[in-house]
Amino acid sequence: MSPSKIPALGYALLGLLQKPSSGYDLRKVFSSTSMKSYSGSPGAIYPALSRLEKAGLIRGTVEEGSGLRRRQIFRLTAKGLAELKIWIALPITREDLTSGLKTVLLRFALSETAVGASASLEILKSFEAALQPQLQTLREQLEKTKTVAPTSARLALECGIRSYESLNEWARYSIAIYEEQIKDR
Amino acid sequence: MSPSKIPALGYALLGLLQKPSSGYDLRKVFSSTSMKSYSGSPGAIYPALSRLEKAGLIRGTVEEGSGLRRRQIFRLTAKGLAELKIWIALPITREDLTSGLKTVLLRFALSETAVGASASLEILKSFEAALQPQLQTLREQLEKTKTVAPTSARLALECGIRSYESLNEWARYSIAIYEEQIKDR
DNA sequence: TATGACATGTAATCTGTTACATGATTAG
DNA sequence: CTAATCATGTAACAGATTACATGTCATA
């Protein structure tokens, strides 16, 4: 329904705000965990939070009370949670693989808590499906450029192929785990 | 010497311009090869080319002659080539791994032609060196979050670890190839 | 009471995206 | 001759980076 033109940072914030946090908390998560790819600079986060609040997806409340240095705690609204769920469960495209692998992994990481294990499994399946044509394209490119290109260019291509193969194995492994888990439930 | 505040797209263009090309040629490369992550939209490429030309790193000449639809062919200048070489041979940091793996691979792919096989080998070695602490950090994170986190979050972390392990194997494999090649020379 | 970490923000600038505009050439 | 493709650009806008600004609290 909504046009949903939110950049990746916005969704990352929504995902983290399943646990209410201040802007500073969020910055710390970005800089201390494996989410360093998201900027975490104040000039990015605070404006992004303002936009999300203006869009009604989160709500900030100034924390009155004990410590009393002004800290604003943000929480997801119902609308924000709905938007987050839609984003997480989006089927994975080939484009997601080339330009936003980090984002895909974040969506998957959040999926179980936000939308449940069966949705996680669906994400994995669409991920695996998207990998196949990508792998084939790269393999064809390798065949084509094998003889002409310099060694380093060929090796770089091989690196891409190996990466996707590794992702493929991981996807199968993860799918197996989820299928077990859902069966046992 | 120069401050070198060129964005990734700029360097990608410099790399491709080792072979003189028009803006349109470059767009085609971006959209048809595994470099789709670089925008290739005219609103990105043409301004970027202008900036590079203004900085004296490339020079464009309008192609007079046969076909006669106006096409501007860009070529690297000596300064541009020097800048490109510096960028390619930059040692690889941990930060490069988390935020710019694509860029690292591009640098490596270009390295042999632009700066020679021994430089390619150096890049691989600094790449491998940067991988180790990264892997250790992720493994520690996995240990810490193993019991608390939901399955999907744990699996996402495992995906990261597997990816870096795969990169590590590739780096060793590639280093072996280059060491052979350099010995035989 | 002075220093540094906590916590939040703003302003200038740059780059990329999206969408549109223009003209030249080739194919049907 | 008309449509599609080639080839180049521009303008409006959104978002990120960098650097700076501000005030609070703890501690030495």
Side-chain angles (χ1 to χ4, degrees):
Chain A
M1 193 94 324
S2 41
S4 298
K5 216 62 187 85
I6 304 174
L9 173 61
Y11 283 113
L13 291 172
L14 290 182
L16 294 182
L17 284 175
Q18 290 182 99
K19 172 179 173 180
S21 317
S22 69
Y24 195 73
D25 294 335
L26 295 165
R27 288 181 60 198
K28 275 190 297 190
V29 174
F30 283 140
S31 59
S32 71
T33 71
S34 44
M35 298 178 71
K36 292 184 190 44
S37 37
Y38 295 99
S39 109
S41 80
I45 282 197
Y46 291 106
L49 287 171
S50 304
R51 287 194 296 272
L52 292 175
E53 188 166 29
K54 208 171 300 174
L57 304 175
I58 63 176
R59 197 181 45 240
T61 55
V62 176
E63 194 184 52
E64 313 282 358
S66 55
L68 237 336
R69 26 184 183 208
R70 94 182 183 298
R71 263 167 69 89
Q72 200 173 181
I73 303 295
F74 291 96
R75 286 175 176 76
L76 275 187
T77 62
K79 189 178 169 191
L81 180 58
E83 196 78 36
L84 177 63
K85 285 180 178 176
I86 291 171
W87 176 71
I88 288 174
L90 242 36
I92 285 156
T93 66
R94 258 182 101 173
E95 227 268 310
D96 292 329
L97 297 183
T98 50
S99 64
L101 199 49
K102 281 271 168 52
T103 305
V104 172
L105 265 295
L106 175 62
R107 279 164 54 190
F108 175 68
L110 296 170
S111 65
E112 193 172 321
T113 309
V115 283
S118 62
S120 302
L121 181 57
E122 284 313 305
I123 294 175
L124 285 171
K125 283 181 178 171
S126 80
F127 182 63
E128 200 204 353
L131 280 171
Q132 308 313 317
Q134 193 63 14
L135 257 169
Q136 211 195 323
T137 303
L138 285 184
R139 287 191 180 123
E140 281 164 13
Q141 270 195 34
L142 182 61
E143 283 310 310
K144 255 178 240 164
T145 60
K146 205 161 203 165
T147 47
V148 268
T151 307
S152 68
R154 182 174 52 83
L155 286 173
L157 245 179
E158 284 186 38
C159 182
I161 293 173
R162 280 165 177 248
S163 294
Y164 284 121
E165 283 170 345
S166 153
L167 290 172
N168 201 29
E169 282 167 37
W170 170 82
R172 286 172 195 275
Y173 157 79
S174 302
I175 286 172
I177 287 180
Y178 269 110
E179 283 179 341
E180 269 309 303
Q181 191 175 310
I182 287 173
K183 192 167 49 181
D184 294 352
R185 159 205 66 158
Chain B
M1 190 95 323
S2 42
S4 297
K5 218 60 189 86
I6 304 172
L9 174 60
Y11 283 113
L13 291 171
L14 289 182
L16 294 181
L17 284 175
Q18 289 182 100
K19 172 179 172 179
S21 317
S22 68
Y24 195 75
D25 293 336
L26 295 164
R27 288 181 62 198
K28 276 190 298 189
V29 174
F30 283 140
S31 58
S32 70
T33 70
S34 45
M35 297 179 72
K36 291 183 190 43
S37 37
Y38 295 98
S39 108
S41 79
I45 283 197
Y46 291 106
L49 287 171
S50 303
R51 287 193 296 272
L52 292 174
E53 187 165 31
K54 209 171 299 173
L57 305 175
I58 63 175
R59 197 183 43 242
T61 55
V62 176
E63 194 183 52
E64 314 282 358
S66 55
L68 236 336
R69 31 184 178 205
R70 95 183 182 299
R71 268 166 65 88
Q72 199 173 180
I73 304 293
F74 292 94
R75 286 176 177 76
L76 275 186
T77 62
K79 189 178 170 191
L81 180 59
E83 196 80 35
L84 176 65
K85 285 180 178 177
I86 291 172
W87 176 71
I88 289 174
L90 243 34
I92 286 157
T93 66
R94 258 182 102 174
E95 226 269 310
D96 291 329
L97 297 183
T98 51
S99 64
L101 200 50
K102 280 270 169 52
T103 305
V104 171
L105 265 294
L106 175 61
R107 280 164 53 191
F108 175 68
L110 296 170
S111 65
E112 194 172 321
T113 310
V115 283
S118 62
S120 302
L121 181 56
E122 285 313 303
I123 293 174
L124 285 172
K125 283 180 176 171
S126 78
F127 182 62
E128 200 204 353
L131 280 171
Q132 309 312 317
Q134 193 64 14
L135 257 169
Q136 212 195 322
T137 303
L138 286 185
R139 287 191 179 123
E140 281 163 13
Q141 269 195 34
L142 182 61
E143 283 310 310
K144 257 178 238 165
T145 59
K146 205 161 205 167
T147 47
V148 269
T151 308
S152 69
R154 182 174 52 84
L155 286 172
L157 245 179
E158 283 187 39
C159 183
I161 293 173
R162 280 166 177 247
S163 294
Y164 284 122
E165 283 170 345
S166 153
L167 290 172
N168 201 28
E169 281 167 37
W170 170 83
R172 286 172 196 276
Y173 156 80
S174 301
I175 287 172
I177 287 179
Y178 269 110
E179 282 178 342
E180 269 308 304
Q181 191 174 310
I182 287 173
K183 192 167 50 183
D184 295 353
R185 159 208 66 158

